[in-house]
Amino acid sequence: MNTPLQAEHGGTDDGPPVAHDFSSNANPLGPPPALWQAVQQADRRAYPDPHYRALRRRLGDAERVLPTAGGAEGIRRMTLAALRTGRRDVWVPQPAFGDYAVAAQALGLTVRPYRQPEDIHPSAPALVWICEPCNPTGQSHAAWPALDALVVVDCAYEPLRLHGQAPALPERAWQLICPNKALGLTGVRAGYLVAPATDEVWAQALSLAPSWVLSAEGVALLTHWQEDETERWLAASRARLRDWVAAQRALLHAFGWTQAPSSTPFWLARPPHAGLLPQLREHGIKLRDATSFGLPGWVRVSAQPPASQHALRRALHQIQGVNA
């Protein structure tokens, strides 16, 4: 019997209690009050409209918007749509969210990793995943070439871009939009795909959606996602997160950690010696081991509130014995 394919994730798990979670890359300031109230007041007594017509109109061109049960479901659905429209290769960024490769492998497709945009050279019909900004690095590429492929851009972290501008993306690219990370509501599984055209791939992606792909809470989240009040809240949270990132980077630097650049409130860091993660967990502090991203010895950290940063400082002082 083959071992089931399963991507490794950060955030909540079944380990010891976590008092300070630096492993999740969701917005620690969420959720925005008005949107959160709407989610709490969602009518759970009845099914939503299975076609989500009003919601799709609210989110853009209703003919090209396809609701998804979060990013992972959108990734699975687009991979299957790619297979059913003749694609056999799937290009995935490295390092990257594991679901891109796992979804392809589950369908017997060939996974072709790439590190830079210029490494992508499809020689056969292919699906290309782009993550802007990228998880787990938080980094962006300056530009993307034209690609003769089915291109899907995972935009989950674009609302959390703290520095720089989003690059121009390939024409006719799909977009996968998952606001729950930026809103600090990862437990509400809601997102949507935006198709460049109502073509064969769009028809497959539409037909492959499960019935009532969004719950009442998911509809409420997406309904309020594009409101001015939500955007003002996001802008204010980005300003505060910039301060938290600067303070936390200075903290880790003082303890001798190597840190990679990032345009988001999460980034890759390398502790000065192995074994720190389980020791920090004993102090109620969790970081995301980056081994599953192909980066042994590295961790992904996210900016957290000052109280959590103080706890991290105390723990590192006890473990490393550095007076920082």
Side-chain angles (χ1 to χ4, degrees):
M1 180 176 178
N2 293 330
T3 302
L5 298 168
Q6 188 173 3
E8 185 175 328
H9 303 113
T12 305
D13 61 19
D14 60 356
V18 177
H20 306 283
D21 190 357
F22 291 82
S23 71
S24 172
N25 51 10
N27 189 340
L29 288 163
L35 185 146
W36 178 225
Q37 183 178 23
V39 169
Q40 291 178 305
Q41 293 176 348
D43 185 1
R44 301 168 178 86
R45 299 168 299 174
Y47 288 111
D49 169 12
H51 302 292
Y52 301 101
R53 285 165 288 215
L55 175 63
R56 290 163 66 189
R57 288 193 295 269
R58 189 175 185 87
L59 293 172
D61 182 344
E63 291 300 315
R64 296 189 296 113
V65 170
L66 301 176
T68 71
E73 190 272 323
I75 290 168
R76 295 278 178 160
R77 198 194 313 175
M78 286 304 299
T79 306
L80 183 52
L83 171 64
R84 294 182 62 167
T85 53
R87 278 80 179 178
R88 294 295 181 272
D89 291 353
V90 180
W91 293 79
V92 301
Q94 290 296 309
F97 183 45
D99 283 44
Y100 306 134
V102 169
Q105 291 166 350
L107 297 174
L109 302 179
T110 300
V111 176
R112 301 194 180 278
Y114 70 89
R115 292 193 175 275
Q116 301 295 332
E118 55 267 26
D119 297 336
I120 307 171
H121 44 82
S123 58
L127 166 63
V128 176
W129 285 103
I130 293 174
C131 189
E132 275 287 352
C134 190
N135 172 32
T137 65
Q139 296 177 5
S140 269
H141 293 287
W144 289 89
L147 294 168
D148 184 16
L150 168 60
V151 179
V152 186
V153 184
D154 186 342
C155 304
Y157 305 101
E158 185 58 45
L160 291 174
R161 186 186 293 273
L162 304 183
H163 307 286
Q165 299 294 321
L169 297 168
E171 292 186 11
R172 298 186 62 77
W174 285 66
Q175 294 182 69
L176 176 58
I177 300 174
C178 307
N180 53 8
K181 291 280 191 180
L183 299 174
L185 281 173
T186 54
V188 181
R189 307 305 302 158
Y192 57 102
L193 289 156
V194 181
T198 53
D199 56 11
E200 183 185 11
V201 177
W202 171 88
Q204 288 292 333
L206 177 64
S207 69
L208 292 169
S211 298
W212 292 287
V213 64
L214 289 179
S215 65
E217 293 90 344
V219 172
L221 183 150
L222 293 180
T223 297
H224 292 268
W225 158 238
Q226 294 183 344
E227 289 191 347
D228 291 342
E229 187 172 0
T230 302
E231 180 49 48
R232 287 193 295 270
W233 179 89
L234 277 167
S237 75
R238 286 191 291 266
R240 184 178 294 185
L241 286 170
R242 291 185 188 98
D243 293 337
W244 290 3
V245 166
Q248 192 167 307
R249 279 185 172 273
L251 187 164
L252 294 176
H253 175 75
F255 282 94
W257 291 48
T258 301
Q259 300 177 79
S262 171
S263 61
T264 66
F266 59 87
W267 63 96
L268 291 173
R270 188 182 185 98
H273 59 79
L276 269 177
L277 263 65
Q279 291 176 287
L280 286 170
R281 191 60 181 271
E282 292 176 3
H283 289 261
I285 295 171
K286 185 182 179 189
L287 288 78
R288 172 67 157 91
D289 187 342
T291 300
S292 65
F293 294 117
L295 298 167
W298 289 79
V299 297
R300 188 190 67 197
V301 298
S302 60
Q304 294 299 314
S308 292
Q309 293 190 28
H310 293 327
L312 177 60
R313 183 186 300 275
R314 289 193 300 270
L316 288 175
H317 177 65
Q318 293 181 36
I319 295 168
Q320 293 187 222
V322 177
N323 187 19

